[in-house]
């Protein structure tokens, strides 16, 4: 499945470095391959090459950018299963979820190919008073220039795609630093990109240790830093990035409200998916469930039965629903947080045990507010159930969080839908489904500690461009002597 070694890409070309990084099979711990590891010198060269490539990238016509993106879509489609298997092993992601991620990445590039030819501007009539007669404005967006992208381990393919695709759509050169635990999928995309006819220096993909990525954060030649990862790292980088633009896609402890009268036949399987897919390692994983008192006990018992039936084990096995956590240390942390909650009075409804890097699908109730599983991001297969009196109480509980990425509501009451939309402190309100729902074209991002800016192709393209005004004075062109 893997080659022995993968090169990194520096200024569009594959390079074998002196140092390398082992990539582990996340379920067994064995080293499955090694990837070239970039040092500071490689990063400096990539930044210089991206700065040199910026004018040529800016000048690529829209049809050409679309052509490159479509060719990328074709190559990803051809290599679908190879990419899915690589993702499965390097991220410990169950194979069915890995295939979905590849399909989503294809969608992401396809949407970018469509948007690349739709970068419309604006015409502004500026004759707003007598003294401005004859003035008109044209506004067009231009690429910001070299971008730096830093991505996490949990969706290593599609989250890199969410940065690469809009950059190619608008004509920005970029440098991508993938997570050290899951670099292979980005490098496979590098192979595909290297086969395109792009200006030299248009892209570099450089696995390196987090702190060694500092030049990408501080160098003024980089005009935009787009980071997806933990709030701890993301907000720190915002302090360090100087005058460049920054987009932060960070974590959360997403809530889902189950209102009175909800159809539990529909709700239960959706909640189980939201809380436990990818072993909870998703930024919009359902972590807090607020259920109306009238159905709380029935919901709890049905969720427990469904969660207990989930298969855990080898991510390559077609039946596996729960794979390993990204490291055994992370699984130990989740185990500690469960134990801490129980010590403080919580009750385990189901699950609760760890098996090496695997954690059982776990539901807790009666959890005290200050337990980590309540107020921090667990990033593991754990959800907390709480009984709420009414919809006001539920809304209060949703907003009682440092985070605000997405919230889900199962309710058919239109007035409550409107209130949730108006009052929830989140980037997205999902009605009739779990907060874990993301369509790759929609605006996506958080408020509070969860982020800054939005992704979703068209929205990321906006972040990667700047508006420029052409102010035209017709009086000059209309002078009678024609001068
Ligand atoms: P992480 O530890 O913050 O790492 C994310 C990336 O930042 C990795 O590439 C990491 O490199 C790099 N990094 C670490 N320290 C750095 C530094 N000092 N300077 C520059 N780069 C640095 O996050 P993770 O554990 O991979 O991912 C989980 C987090 O991502 C969760 O909080 C999750 O909610 C969030 N997430 C958010 C979204 C979203 O769209 N909102 C989507 C997915 C995940 P190394 O791997 O080399 O350490």
């Amino acid at each position: 499945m893997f080659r022995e070694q993968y090169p990194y890409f520096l200024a569009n070309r594959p390079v074998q470095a002196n140092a390398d990084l082992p990539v582990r099979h996340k379920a067994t711990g064995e080293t499955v391959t090694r990837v070239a590891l970039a040092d500071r010198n490689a990063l400096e060269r990539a930044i210089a090459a991206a700065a040199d490539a910026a004018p040529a990238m800016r000048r690529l016509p829209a049809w050409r950018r679309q052509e490159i993106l479509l060719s990328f879509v074709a190559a990803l489609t051809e290599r679908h299963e190879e990419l899915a298997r690589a993702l499965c092993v390097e991220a410990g992601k169950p194979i069915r979820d890995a295939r979905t991620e590849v399909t989503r990445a294809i969608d992401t590039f396809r949407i970018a190919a469509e948007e690349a030819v739709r970068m419309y501007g604006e015409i502004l009539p500026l004759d707003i008073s007598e003294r401005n007669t004859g003035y008109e404005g044209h506004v067009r967006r231009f690429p910001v220039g070299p971008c730096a992208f830093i991505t996490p381990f949990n969706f290593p393919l599609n989250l890199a795609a969410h940065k690469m695709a809009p950059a190619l759509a608008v004509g920005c050169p970029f440098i991508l630093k993938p997570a050290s635990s899951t670099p292979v999928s980005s490098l496979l995309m590098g192979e595909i990109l290297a086969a395109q006819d792009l200006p030299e220096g248009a892209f570099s993909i450089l696995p390196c240790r987090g702190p060694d990525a500092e030049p990408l954060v501080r160098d003024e030649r980089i005009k935009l830093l787009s980071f997806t990862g933990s709030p701890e790292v993301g907000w720190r980088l915002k302090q360090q990035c100087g005058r460049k633009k920054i987009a932060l896609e960070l974590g959360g402890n997403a809530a889902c409200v189950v209102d009175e009268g909800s159809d539990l036949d529909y709700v239960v399987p959706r909640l189980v998916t939201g809380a436990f897919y990818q072993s909870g390692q998703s930024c919009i994983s359902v972590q807090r469930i607020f259920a109306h008192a009238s159905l709380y006990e029935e919901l709890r018992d049905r969720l427990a039965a469904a969660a207990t039936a989930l298969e855990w084990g080898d991510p390559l096995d077609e039946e596996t629903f729960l794979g390993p956590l990204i490291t055994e240390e992370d699984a130990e942390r989740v185990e500690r947080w469960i134990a801490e909650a129980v010590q403080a009075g919580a009750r385990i409804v189901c699950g609760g045990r760890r098996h090496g890097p695997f954690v059982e699908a776990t539901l807790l109730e009666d959890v005290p507010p200050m337990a980590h599983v309540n107020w921090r991001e667990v990033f593991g297969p754990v959800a907390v159930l709480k009984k709420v009196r009414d919809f006001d109480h539920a809304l209060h509980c949703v907003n009682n969080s440092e985070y605000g990425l997405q919230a889900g509501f199962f309710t058919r009451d239109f007035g409550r839908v409107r209130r949730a939309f108006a009052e929830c402190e989140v980037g997205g309100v999902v009605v009739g489904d779990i907060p874990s729902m993301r369509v790759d074209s929609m605006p996506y991002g958080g408020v509070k500690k969860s982020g800054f800016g939005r992704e979703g192709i068209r929205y990321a393209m906006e972040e990667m461009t700047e508006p420029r005004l052409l102010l035209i004075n017709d009086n000059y062109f209309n002078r009678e002597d024609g001068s």
Side-chain angles (χ1 to χ4, degrees), residues 205-227:
I205 300 179
L206 299 174
C208 68
R209 305 273 181 206
D212 292 344
E214 198 186 349
L216 299 181
V217 179
R218 294 191 186 268
D219 196 298
E220 293 287 342
R221 287 169 294 179
I222 300 286
K223 301 301 178 196
L224 166 81
L225 171 63
S226 177
F227 173 87

Side-chain angles (χ1 to χ4, degrees), residues 150-155 159 177-181 208-211 213 217 227-231 233 236-237 249-252 282-283 377 379 405 438 444 450:
I150 301 178
T151 51
F153 74 82
N154 62 332
F155 287 91
L159 292 177
K177 180 220 141 358
S180 296
S181 50
C208 68
R209 305 273 181 206
V217 179
F227 173 87
T228 303
S230 61
V233 176
R236 204 167 59 237
L237 299 188
E249 297 290 337
L250 310 174
S282 158
C283 48
E377 176 179 42
F379 230 54
L405 208 42
R438 178 175 183 186
Y444 181 73
S450 290

Side-chain angles (χ1 to χ4, degrees), residues 110-265:
R110 186 175 50 75
I111 299 160
E114 289 163 8
E115 295 291 349
V117 292
R118 285 188 205 144
M119 285 184 59
Y120 305 128
E122 260 188 308
I123 307 267
L124 310 178
L126 292 176
D127 50 349
I128 59 164
S129 69
E130 194 179 346
R131 75 178 184 286
N132 304 118
T133 303
Y135 280 84
E136 189 175 85
H138 292 206
V139 181
R140 261 189 67 188
R141 301 193 72 89
F142 288 85
V144 289
C147 296
F149 302 147
I150 301 178
T151 51
F153 74 82
N154 62 332
F155 287 91
L157 189 77
N158 196 35
L159 292 177
H162 265 285
K163 302 185 191 304
M164 294 165 64
L168 292 166
V170 301
C172 284
F174 66 85
I175 301 155
L176 166 66
K177 180 220 141 358
S180 296
S181 50
T182 53
V184 177
S185 25
S186 293
L187 294 172
L188 293 176
M189 288 201 284
E191 278 176 14
I192 297 173
L193 213 45
Q196 310 292 327
D197 183 18
L198 277 163
E200 193 178 333
F203 80 96
S204 295
I205 300 179
L206 299 174
C208 68
R209 305 273 181 206
D212 292 344
E214 198 186 349
L216 299 181
V217 179
R218 294 191 186 268
D219 196 298
E220 293 287 342
R221 287 169 294 179
I222 300 286
K223 301 301 178 196
L224 166 81
L225 171 63
S226 177
F227 173 87
T228 303
S230 61
E232 292 69 31
V233 176
W235 291 111
R236 204 167 59 237
L237 299 188
K238 187 166 182 292
Q239 303 290 322
Q240 300 168 353
C241 72
R243 290 197 312 257
K244 66 178 60 61
K245 290 175 94 176
I246 184 162
L248 298 175
E249 297 290 337
L250 310 174
N253 59 355
C256 193
V257 172
V258 185
D259 198 12
E260 57 192 324
S262 292
D263 171 0
L264 295 191
D265 288 344

Side-chain angles (χ1 to χ4, degrees), residues 79-100:
R79 297 175 71 172
H80 194 292
E81 187 61 15
E82 175 199 350
L83 283 158
R85 294 181 89 76
L87 263 180
C88 172
V89 171
E90 75 166 345
K93 188 182 294 259
I95 186 69
R96 288 182 299 182
D97 294 337
R99 290 195 187 108
T100 305

